[in-house]
Amino acid sequence: MVHPDVICKPIVFTDAKCVDVKKVDVGNQFTNGQEFEVHDHMLQWISTKASKLGLGVVIRSLHYHDMCDKLADHPIAYCIMAEENEIVFDMTLNMVQLKYILVTFKRKRPGNILNIKQVYNTHVLNNKVLRGDKTEMPQVLKLMDDQNYVSRYRVCKDGEIVRDIFWTHHDFIKLFNIFPTVLIISSTYKTKKYKLTLLEIVGVTFTEKIYSVVFTFLVS
């Protein structure tokens, strides 16, 4: 059962000027007679009720202090639920782009207030869980091997830190052997976490379609 103390008290922003502010009591909307055996089920029920009212649920430890300035003026602050996290996890495993995952949420429930940043953050956390104790580079090499990529890399003098990494796919190689006439080379300088230059080579087919040939991260 949801205890009455769980429901926020009516909030009035006293710093608003020239605005007719009215107190809104939605306590009755969150009154129920059921008991929740799982904490996440209670949060899901509260989130659903709040969404129907155009409200958001914020889980915070600010006690009886005012909400921080960054949240006070924001129309809604939202916490992703366990059910939504599972959907993001499953869809990313099926290679669905994050922007399309968000579109799916919005289509199934138009009142959903999830945003792309929250989807991205959830995706990052899920990747960390999948990676386990592995550091990022061994995980990258493992994924390349799992997906049948061809990769080569060089390490620094210490024999541990990767300085250059090259990868391509057998399908890319087949396309290159068929359409080797035009190649486009593009380099993006130090925009990644490890300050490595991303070098990409793409080819062009006879029908002017672009295909990938190879990717490399280079120290210089």
Side-chain angles (χ1 to χ4, degrees):
M1 182 178 296
V2 180
H3 194 276
D5 290 343
V6 175
I7 310 304
C8 296
K9 303 300 181 182
I11 299 175
V12 177
F13 295 101
T14 57
D15 59 343
K17 297 180 180 180
C18 302
V19 177
D20 184 14
V21 181
K22 297 181 181 180
K23 293 184 178 180
V24 179
D25 187 356
V26 295
N28 293 332
Q29 303 293 332
F30 292 90
T31 302
N32 74 335
Q34 70 181 104
E35 294 184 359
F36 298 91
E37 296 181 359
V38 180
H39 182 258
D40 285 343
H41 291 173
M42 181 192 72
L43 294 179
Q44 182 66 52
W45 182 85
I46 293 175
S47 179
T48 301
K49 286 287 187 180
S51 179
K52 291 179 179 179
L53 295 169
L55 304 175
V57 178
V58 180
I59 300 176
R60 58 192 176 91
S61 56
L62 297 173
H63 303 287
Y64 294 103
H65 303 291
D66 293 335
M67 187 179 289
C68 65
D69 294 337
K70 291 184 179 179
L71 291 178
D73 295 329
H74 199 280
I76 271 182
Y78 183 74
C79 179
I80 192 168
M81 305 305 297
E83 179 182 350
E84 295 170 330
N85 180 65
E86 291 179 4
I87 294 173
V88 173
F89 183 80
D90 292 339
M91 294 182 75
T92 50
L93 284 181
N94 290 314
M95 307 301 292
V96 179
Q97 294 184 31
L98 299 184
K99 62 181 179 181
Y100 295 129
I101 295 177
L102 181 61
V103 169
T104 301
F105 279 121
K106 300 295 185 181
R107 179 176 57 81
K108 289 187 175 181
R109 200 175 71 186
N112 192 296
I113 53 179
L114 194 66
N115 59 53
I116 190 63
K117 183 177 180 181
Q118 290 160 332
V119 175
Y120 175 80
N121 289 341
T122 302
H123 172 61
V124 171
L125 291 175
N126 288 337
N127 281 344
K128 288 183 179 179
V129 173
L130 288 175
R131 191 170 72 224
D133 296 332
K134 294 187 182 70
T135 57
E136 292 174 345
M137 188 55 66
Q139 178 68 3
V140 168
L141 296 175
K142 177 184 179 300
L143 292 175
M144 288 182 182
D145 186 59
D146 292 344
Q147 299 299 323
N148 200 30
Y149 279 82
V150 179
S151 63
R152 300 289 186 272
Y153 63 90
R154 295 187 299 180
V155 297
C156 297
K157 293 181 179 180
D158 59 9
E160 296 183 1
I161 300 176
V162 174
R163 53 166 291 157
D164 304 310
I165 181 169
F166 160 103
W167 72 97
T168 185
H169 196 274
H170 291 290
D171 292 340
F172 299 168
I173 297 172
K174 291 178 182 178
L175 287 169
F176 173 66
N177 287 329
I178 299 172
F179 308 106
T181 306
V182 179
L183 292 179
I184 303 171
I185 302 176
S186 176
S187 178
T188 304
Y189 179 67
K190 291 187 177 180
T191 59
K192 303 299 179 183
K193 176 180 177 180
Y194 297 103
K195 305 300 182 182
L196 297 175
T197 299
L198 173 62
L199 179 69
E200 179 182 5
I201 302 177
V202 299
V204 182
T205 68
F206 294 154
T207 57
E208 299 184 355
K209 299 294 183 181
I210 301 296
Y211 68 93
S212 297
V213 178
V214 65
F215 301 89
T216 64
F217 276 123
L218 304 170
V219 169
S220 61

